[in-house]
Amino acid sequence: LFSVLFKMGDRKWMIIDTDAGVDDAIALCMAMQLHNKHNVDLKLLTTTFGNCSRSQVDINVRKCRHACGFTAAQLPICPGAEGPLKGKKIDATYYHGMDGLGDANTKVPECTLDSRTAVQAMEQICLEAYDANAKVVLVTLGPLTNLALLLQHLSTRATEEKKAAPEETDALRRVLDQVIIMGGCGNGHGNVTRTGEFNVIADPEAAALVFSAPNLPRRVVSWELTVEFPVPWATFDTVFGYTSAPDSNNPNSTSATQNFLKQISHLAYVKRRNGTLDETANQGARKGVQGAVICDALAVAVALCPSVNTRSQMVNVEVELEGSITRGTTVVDWGCYDNEHREKNTEWIVAVDSSEFIRLLQDMCCTSV
């Protein structure tokens, strides 16, 4: 597999791995609507457990693909992990709704999943990317299980071929231009535990494997970053069509994408906005956030438009696996004084251009495929 991976060109292909909750859906629609505009070829969607069951995620991603006018032939969806590498499976249906998309009862399209697994498809894309002299951007929006399984698969393959595993990972790095991870928190202010972020807590072992993999070009869009740069509520309402009715004289005044996202976002971003529903799910109101926190869309925005990222820092990241209170915490070394040298192995984004992010959201809702 890796004997030919020596040099890559400038074309970029994108793979998105998702657990398809509401913010994932916004992110997926952004990628599908805008990838051509930003000179990116969206090649593959893979699914994982997370916000809801993997089988429901499969349905949700199909809904997103249909809303954006894509067919299975144009954009394959490959099923991935149904649970974590170790431990109990969790979900976030308390926030995203029982179906993961706001319980909006949107129509399930009559389209199928690809016959390949997520790992098989990601590996195949890497081979095809080399043949096309392309680079791959992998965006993970959910638990890191599929990526961890890919790394394990490559390590096993390397062992069978009597090659060193680090060498294989380095070859993978030559294909992957970026691995953009939506997950983790670098300030210890968790969202599902006191110190842990959902995507890492959902599979700490997978996250530990991904963050410790040598020479993997990681870039993190963290929980605290998305909370610090929310979309103002007035802007959110305008972008997603909550402030005006469609113009009957202008059939293009709203898009199918906007209508779909308006339906599925109502529970998470309208009903729960001011604590009108249970406080367990009303994280934004409890934290005093003055806007919509759209975590996964920000990660895709960074992938599509690098100028969205205005400031980042290279840091060391480890995942705590043993702590009785802190299991699943992303432990970030911002530069402590313990005389330990830790490799700065991850780019941690600390500031973004909110206006650029909002522009992408606006473009998504008025752009046709």
Side-chain angles (χ1 to χ4, degrees), residues 23-24 27 141 182-183 191 197 199 221-223 226-227 269 283 292-301 357:
D23 60 322
D24 298 73
L141 305 180
M182 194 285 116
N191 61 6
E197 180 274 333
N199 287 341
V221 174
S222 65
W223 166 245
T226 64
V227 171
Y269 290 108
Q283 297 171 344
V293 177
I294 318 178
C295 306
D296 294 334
L298 184 57
V300 166
F357 177 40

Side-chain angles (χ1 to χ4, degrees), residues 45-307:
L45 305 178
T46 58
T47 64
T48 180
F49 78 99
N51 289 320
C52 51
S53 69
R54 209 292 315 282
S55 60
Q56 184 62 52
V57 170
D58 294 342
I59 294 172
N60 294 350
V61 179
R62 287 161 54 200
K63 289 182 176 183
C64 295
R65 182 175 65 184
H66 179 75
C68 292
F70 282 80
T71 66
Q74 292 172 313
L75 184 58
I77 300 169
C78 296
E82 296 185 347
L85 298 182
K86 179 181 178 181
K88 183 180 178 180
K89 181 168 64 174
I90 64 173
D91 64 50
T93 54
Y94 61 86
Y95 181 80
H96 293 272
M98 294 307 297
D99 72 348
L101 291 184
D103 296 328
N105 296 317
T106 50
K107 182 180 179 180
V108 179
E110 295 180 2
C111 51
T112 60
L113 298 174
D114 196 275
S115 61
R116 297 168 296 173
T117 67
V119 169
Q120 290 170 340
M122 287 190 285
E123 182 181 28
Q124 185 174 347
I125 288 292
C126 289
L127 283 171
E128 293 176 358
Y130 176 78
D131 291 338
N133 197 33
K135 293 184 178 180
V136 175
V137 176
L138 172 61
V139 186
T140 66
L141 305 180
L144 291 165
T145 315
N146 284 337
L147 179 52
L149 290 171
L150 175 63
L151 292 171
Q152 288 182 331
H153 167 70
L154 297 177
S155 178
T156 299
R157 184 169 184 147
T159 301
E160 291 172 351
E161 296 176 0
K162 297 181 180 180
K163 295 179 181 179
E167 179 181 326
E168 296 301 309
T169 305
D170 183 64
L172 177 64
R173 180 193 62 79
R174 294 176 185 272
V175 179
L176 292 175
D177 182 63
Q178 296 179 62
V179 178
I180 297 178
I181 299 168
M182 194 285 116
C185 55
N187 61 1
H189 297 183
N191 61 6
V192 68
T193 69
R194 282 171 282 178
T195 62
E197 180 274 333
F198 178 85
N199 287 341
V200 177
I201 291 291
D203 195 342
E205 276 71 23
L209 195 158
V210 169
F211 277 105
S212 64
N215 302 316
L216 202 63
R218 291 169 289 261
R219 175 176 286 180
V220 173
V221 174
S222 65
W223 166 245
E224 75 268 16
L225 178 74
T226 64
V227 171
E228 185 178 351
F229 294 92
V231 177
W233 286 122
T235 302
F236 178 89
D237 289 345
T238 299
V239 168
F240 292 95
Y242 285 108
T243 57
S244 61
D247 183 353
S248 59
N249 296 318
N250 179 12
N252 296 319
S253 63
T254 62
S255 67
T257 300
Q258 185 191 56
N259 290 334
F260 171 71
L261 294 177
K262 180 180 178 180
Q263 291 179 67
I264 68 167
S265 65
H266 190 262
L267 175 66
Y269 290 108
V270 177
K271 284 189 175 181
R272 290 200 169 110
R273 183 175 305 180
N274 298 311
T276 54
L277 294 179
D278 59 289
E279 284 298 301
T280 301
N282 191 25
Q283 297 171 344
R286 287 188 292 111
K287 292 178 178 291
V289 178
Q290 300 302 309
V293 177
I294 318 178
C295 306
D296 294 334
L298 184 57
V300 166
V302 168
L304 289 174
C305 186
S307 62

Side-chain angles (χ1 to χ4, degrees), residues 21-51:
V22 176
D23 60 322
D24 298 73
I26 297 171
L28 291 173
C29 289
M30 177 184 286
M32 284 185 275
Q33 293 291 78
L34 302 182
H35 68 99
N36 280 330
K37 185 175 181 178
H38 293 275
N39 299 315
V40 174
D41 292 335
L42 182 58
K43 289 291 186 178
L44 176 67
L45 305 178
T46 58
T47 64
T48 180
F49 78 99
N51 289 320

